[in-house]
Amino acid sequence: PGIVEVDEGQVGYLGPADGGFVSLQDLVELRLIHLRGQRFWRMKQADGQVLLIPVAAQGAERLFDAFAALPGMDTQALVAALETPRAPSSGAQDIALAGDGAQIGPVIWRRATRVALS
């Protein structure tokens, strides 16, 4: 399902039909999505762009260390998300995407917002 690269604080995914790059510094949210029977990391950037990376992609195991280094990451939540291969459901913390059978699980990590001091 593609190849994952992690280099210099940047995550890259090269898939057979799509791909992209995300700077970990620009990452604002991490979730796990269930889509068509597969699991994907859903990485959202500050500008709203989203990169989906299959959990089963070659080199995806490197993402754990990259994610663990994010400020405020709860590594237990990260491990729990990976160890819970659950079928999509309509839980209160989940977001269903209409028409495609996708289920976006709860937020695993979200970047804290900065408060401007005056």
Side-chain angles (χ1 to χ4, degrees), residues 7 31 36-37 59 80 96:
D7 187 35
R31 293 179 185 249
R36 293 186 289 273

Side-chain angles (χ1 to χ4, degrees), residues 3-102:
I3 298 171
V4 174
E5 297 176 346
V6 179
D7 187 35
E8 300 286 328
Q10 180 171 291
V11 173
Y13 170 65
L14 307 168
D18 55 7
F21 295 87
V22 171
S23 166
L24 293 174
Q25 191 171 10
D26 292 337
L27 190 65
V28 295
E29 185 180 273
L30 177 66
R31 293 179 185 249
L32 203 58
I33 180 174
H34 298 259
L35 178 62
R36 293 186 289 273
Q38 295 183 42
R39 298 186 310 160
F40 296 83
W41 290 111
R42 181 181 182 272
M43 302 171 64
K44 184 177 179 183
Q45 297 182 129
D47 65 2
Q49 292 185 65
V50 172
L51 177 62
L52 297 180
I53 300 178
V55 171
Q58 181 181 342
E61 66 279 356
R62 296 182 195 124
L63 292 173
F64 185 88
D65 289 336
F67 295 155
L70 293 169
M73 171 58 81
D74 178 354
T75 55
Q76 290 180 341
L78 185 59
V79 170
L82 283 171
E83 290 181 345
T84 309
R86 62 181 177 81
S89 66
S90 59
Q93 297 278 339
D94 294 348
I95 301 170
L97 302 176
D100 63 6

